[in-house]
C-alpha cells in the first residue's frame, strides 16, 4: 500500500488556514452568487482541466448555508442545452435569478453561425431540468457577453451586458424578451461615468482602437438604499475591479474607482457582491489553484463593509477568505460532494439531483468545516459508496490528519458499499477530514456520509 503523499500533507497544512479559492476540485470562473432564503447558490462557468485557451463546455452550480462548505449540485446547463449554440466550447459568464416560482439562467456563448449571443435557460428548480426558454438567442452582437440580471424594488426586471460595449434593456414579465428593445447604457463613453478614457480595441466596432472608458466587461448590477451600483472588470487587460453608481437605473452613472486590484495569476477578474445573513461579500475569480492561470480560474470570496457614505471600500485579496456563518450538522445526511477544500478527488459532470465524489485514490482527502457534534458526541458513522473499482477505506479525522482517526470505514468489495462503523471521541465543534487510503488503483466513488448519536 502506498504511503500518503508528502505533497498532500503539505496541502492539508495550508488548507487548514485557507478558504480561497472556495472550490478546489474544479475551476470555477465568473462566479455569480444568488441569495435565496437561507442559501446562497453559486452559478459559475467551468474552465476545462486541459484548456490552453478559453475552453468551457458547461455551467455548474453549488450551494451553501454557511459560506464555507459548498455542495456541488451538478453541471446543470451546457452548450448542448442550446441547439443553436456552438457546441463544446465558449460557455462564457452567466447569472441566474428566481422569479414567480421559475428560475432563469442567463448565459452567453458563441452561436453555431457565428457571433456573440445571450441565451436563457429556464427551470422550476435550480437542480433542473433546465431547458432552452426561447429556442434561439435572446440577442446577438459583437461583445454581447456577460449578462447580469437585476430585479428592481418595484419588480421591474432588467438585463445588462457587454464587453467593450455596455447595453441594457427592460425585460418583460416573461423574463425572456425585452419590453422596448435594448440600448447602450447612458454615459458609457463619458469618463465621469466609467473612468478615464484610454485607447482600447473595441470589439463592438470591429476591433478598432478607440478612446474608451475604463469599463471592460462583466457588469454586476445591485441597489442599496436607493442607489444603483454596477461593479465590473475595468482598465483593459489585466483587469482590476471598479464600480460606478447612479440615482436611477438609467443613470447618470458616476465612476467611483478601483475596489480590487488585478486578480492573482489571472489577467481577468469577474464577480459581484451579495448580502447574506447580515454580511456583505464580494465574489471574484483568480488563478490560484494548482495549475491555475488565465484559462484555469477559480472562485474566491472576501467579506467587506460599505462605508458610511455608501461607497465600497478597497477590498484586499486574502487566502483566508471568509468566516463561517453557520455550522454543519453531521447527524443529517451529508452529501460527499459537500466540502470546504479537497485534494486529488473530482466530482461528477452530471445534471439532475444525484451527485458524488469520484476519481478517488490513495492519499486524497476532503475537508468540511464547523462540524458540530454537540456535547454528547457521535457513536457511529454510516457512509455509502458506489461504482466500486478497488478496495480501500475512508478515515475520519478531527481538525487535522495527525493523531488517531475517530472512525474508519472499509469498502472491501462491491457487496459492502454501505457500511456502519463505531466512532470514538467525536464531540464538540471541529473541522473534519475524510482521508482515503487504498492501493495504487482508483478505489470507488463516495455518495454520502452521516454520524449518529
Amino acid at each position: 500500500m502506498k504511503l500518503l503523499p508528502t505533497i498532500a500533507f503539505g496541502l492539508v497544512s495550508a488548507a487548514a488556514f485557507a478558504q480561497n479559492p472556495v472550490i478546489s476540485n474544479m475551476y470555477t470562473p465568473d462566479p455569480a452568487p444568488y441569495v435565496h432564503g437561507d442559501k446562497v447558490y453559486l452559478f459559475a462557468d467551468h474552465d476545462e482541466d486541459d484548456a490552453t485557451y478559453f475552453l468551457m463546455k458547461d455551467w455548474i452550480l453549488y450551494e451553501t448555508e454557511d459560506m464555507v462548505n459548498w455542495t456541488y449540485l451538478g453541471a446543470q446547463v451546457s452548450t448542448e442545452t442550446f441547439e443553436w449554440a456552438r457546441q463544446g466550447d465558449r460557455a462564457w459568464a452567466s447569472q441566474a435569478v428566481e422569479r414567480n416560482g421559475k428560475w432563469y439562467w442567463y448565459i452567453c456563448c458563441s452561436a453555431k453561425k457565428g457571433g456573440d449571443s445571450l441565451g436563457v435557460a429556464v427551470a422550476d428548480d435550480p437542480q433542473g431540468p433546465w431547458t432552452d426558454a426561447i429556442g434561439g438567442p435572446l440577442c446577438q452582437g459583437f461583445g454581447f457577453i456577460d449578462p447580469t440580471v437585476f430585479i428592481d424594488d418595484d419588480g421591474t426586471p432588467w438585463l445588462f451586458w457587454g464587453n467593450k460595449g455596455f447595453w441594457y434593456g427592460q425585460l418583460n414579465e416573461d423574463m425572456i424578451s425585452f419590453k422596448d428593445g435594448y440600448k447602450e447604457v447612458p454615459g458609457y463613453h463619458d469618463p465621469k461615468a466609467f473612468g478615464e478614457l484610454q485607447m482600447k480595441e473595441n470589439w463592438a466596432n470591429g476591433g478598432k482602437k478607440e478612446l474608451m472608458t475604463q469599463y471592460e466587461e462583466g457588469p454586476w448590477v445591485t441597489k442599496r438604499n436607493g442607489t444603483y451600483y454596477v461593479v465590473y472588470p475595468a482598465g483593459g487587460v489585466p483587469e482590476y475591479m471598479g464600480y460606478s453608481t447612479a440615482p436611477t437605473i438609467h443613470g447618470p452613472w458616476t465612476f467611483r474607482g478601483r475596489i480590487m486590484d488585478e486578480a492573482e495569476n489571472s489577467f481577468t477578474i469577474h464577480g459581484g457582491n451579495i448580502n447574506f445573513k447580515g454580511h456583505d461579500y464580494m465574489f471574484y475569480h483568480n488563478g490560484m489553484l494548482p495549475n491555475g492561470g488565465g484559462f484555469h480560474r477559480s472562485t474566491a470570496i472576501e467579506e467587506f463593509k460599505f462605508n458610511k457614505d455608501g461607497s465600497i471600500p478597497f477590498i484586499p485579496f486574502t487566502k483566508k477568505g471568509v468566516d463561517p456563518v453557520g455550522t454543519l450538522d453531521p447527524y443529517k445526511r451529508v452529501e460527499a460532494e459537500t466540502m470546504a477544500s479537497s485534494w486529488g478527488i473530482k466530482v461528477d459532470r452530471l445534471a439532475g439531483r444525484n451527485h458524488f465524489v469520484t476519481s478517488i485514490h490513495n492519499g486524497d482527502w476532503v475537508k468540511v468545516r464547523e462540524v458540530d457534534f454537540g456535547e454528547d458526541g457521535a457513536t457511529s458513522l454510516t457512509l455509502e459508496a458506489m461504482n466500486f473499482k478497488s478496495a480501500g477505506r475512508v478515515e475520519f479525522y478531527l481538525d487535522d490528519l495527525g493523531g488517531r482517526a475517530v472512525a474508519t470505514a472499509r469498502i472491501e468489495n462491491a457487496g459492502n458499499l454501505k457500511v456502519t462503523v463505531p466512532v470514538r471521541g467525536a464531540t464538540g465543534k471541529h473541522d473534519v477530514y475524510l482521508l482515503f487510503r487504498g492501493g495504487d488503483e482508483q478505489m470507488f466513488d463516495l455518495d454520502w456520509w452521516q454520524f449518529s448519536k
Side-chain angles (χ1 to χ4, degrees), residues 316-337:
F317 301 133
T318 71
K319 289 183 171 59
K320 176 180 179 294
V322 303
D323 294 325
V325 292
T327 58
L328 187 146
D329 184 353
Y331 303 115
K332 295 181 179 179
R333 169 172 162 153
V334 180
E335 299 301 325
E337 60 275 13

Side-chain angles (χ1 to χ4, degrees), residues 332-442:
K332 295 181 179 179
R333 169 172 162 153
V334 180
E335 299 301 325
E337 60 275 13
T338 297
M339 59 192 75
S341 58
S342 64
W343 171 255
I345 60 90
K346 290 291 185 181
V347 292
D348 63 80
R349 293 283 293 274
L350 303 175
R353 294 181 172 274
N354 299 318
H355 304 287
F356 50 88
V357 169
T358 188
S359 189
I360 296 173
H361 297 81
N362 181 50
D364 293 349
W365 53 263
V366 166
K367 174 188 175 183
V368 289
R369 292 183 61 186
E370 293 293 297
V371 180
D372 192 354
F373 292 99
E375 293 183 2
D376 295 333
T379 57
S380 66
L381 165 75
T382 302
L383 62 73
E384 185 167 8
M386 56 192 295
N387 302 326
F388 180 86
K389 301 174 185 66
S390 67
R393 64 184 187 269
V394 189
E395 300 174 349
F396 285 73
Y397 293 84
L398 304 184
D399 299 320
D400 59 52
L401 286 175
R404 186 175 187 177
V406 297
T408 298
R410 290 176 169 80
I411 306 297
E412 297 174 334
N413 55 64
N416 76 323
L417 297 182
K418 184 176 180 180
V419 298
T420 298
V421 297
V423 174
R424 292 174 293 184
T427 61
K429 190 184 298 182
H430 299 274
D431 294 343
V432 173
Y433 287 88
L434 286 67
L435 174 64
F436 300 97
R437 300 299 299 268
D440 295 335
E441 304 299 323
Q442 185 174 339

Side-chain angles (χ1 to χ4, degrees), residues 18 21 45 102 112 131 161 168 190 214 242 304 385 387 392 432 434:
D45 317 343
K102 292 281 188 179
K112 285 180 179 178
T131 58
W161 68 92
Y168 80 125
D190 184 352
Q214 293 284 297
F304 72 99
N387 302 326
V432 173
L434 286 67

Side-chain angles (χ1 to χ4, degrees), residues 135-402:
L138 174 62
C139 56
Q140 291 181 296
F142 285 110
F144 277 37
I145 64 172
D146 298 355
T148 180
V149 58
F150 167 71
I151 299 177
D152 211 338
D153 297 337
D154 63 0
T156 304
W158 299 88
L159 196 69
F160 288 73
W161 68 92
N163 171 287
K164 301 217 171 49
F166 197 10
W167 299 271
Y168 80 125
Q170 180 180 340
L171 294 169
N172 285 313
E173 281 295 312
D174 63 10
M175 299 294 286
I176 60 172
S177 62
F178 292 109
K179 183 176 181 180
D180 299 306
Y182 54 86
K183 58 185 177 182
E184 191 171 71
V185 171
Y188 168 64
H189 296 282
D190 184 352
K192 294 180 180 178
F194 295 103
E196 64 184 24
L197 293 169
Q198 61 181 6
M199 292 296 295
K200 295 194 293 185
E201 292 180 339
N202 183 6
W203 296 108
N205 192 20
K208 296 178 181 178
K209 282 197 172 184
E210 299 178 359
L211 278 172
M212 300 174 65
T213 54
Q214 293 284 297
Y215 170 90
E216 183 72 15
E217 60 182 352
W220 183 272
V221 177
T222 58
K223 187 179 183 181
R224 182 177 184 270
N225 296 335
T227 297
Y228 295 84
Y229 294 74
V230 57
V231 170
Y232 49 87
V237 176
E239 302 168 339
Y240 67 86
M241 195 82 89
Y243 83 111
S244 299
T245 64
T248 76
I249 196 72
H250 306 292
W253 293 95
T254 302
F255 181 61
R256 300 300 184 186
R258 176 188 293 247
I259 54 174
M260 277 185 158
D261 282 335
E262 291 78 5
E264 298 171 288
N265 200 32
S266 171
F267 56 86
T268 62
I269 190 170
H270 185 124
N273 58 294
I274 59 169
N275 182 278
F276 180 60
K277 295 186 177 180
H279 299 260
D280 288 297
Y281 301 101
M282 186 66 70
F283 287 64
Y284 63 100
H285 69 227
N286 62 28
M288 296 305 288
L289 276 188
N291 299 316
F295 308 121
H296 290 147
R297 302 155 296 170
S298 301
T299 294
I301 313 170
E302 309 293 352
E303 185 174 356
F304 72 99
K305 292 183 179 180
F306 283 88
N307 295 319
K308 290 182 179 180
D309 63 0
S311 60
I312 301 176
F314 180 79
I315 305 169
F317 301 133
T318 71
K319 289 183 171 59
K320 176 180 179 294
V322 303
D323 294 325
V325 292
T327 58
L328 187 146
D329 184 353
Y331 303 115
K332 295 181 179 179
R333 169 172 162 153
V334 180
E335 299 301 325
E337 60 275 13
T338 297
M339 59 192 75
S341 58
S342 64
W343 171 255
I345 60 90
K346 290 291 185 181
V347 292
D348 63 80
R349 293 283 293 274
L350 303 175
R353 294 181 172 274
N354 299 318
H355 304 287
F356 50 88
V357 169
T358 188
S359 189
I360 296 173
H361 297 81
N362 181 50
D364 293 349
W365 53 263
V366 166
K367 174 188 175 183
V368 289
R369 292 183 61 186
E370 293 293 297
V371 180
D372 192 354
F373 292 99
E375 293 183 2
D376 295 333
T379 57
S380 66
L381 165 75
T382 302
L383 62 73
E384 185 167 8
M386 56 192 295
N387 302 326
F388 180 86
K389 301 174 185 66
S390 67
R393 64 184 187 269
V394 189
E395 300 174 349
F396 285 73
Y397 293 84
L398 304 184
D399 299 320
D400 59 52
L401 286 175

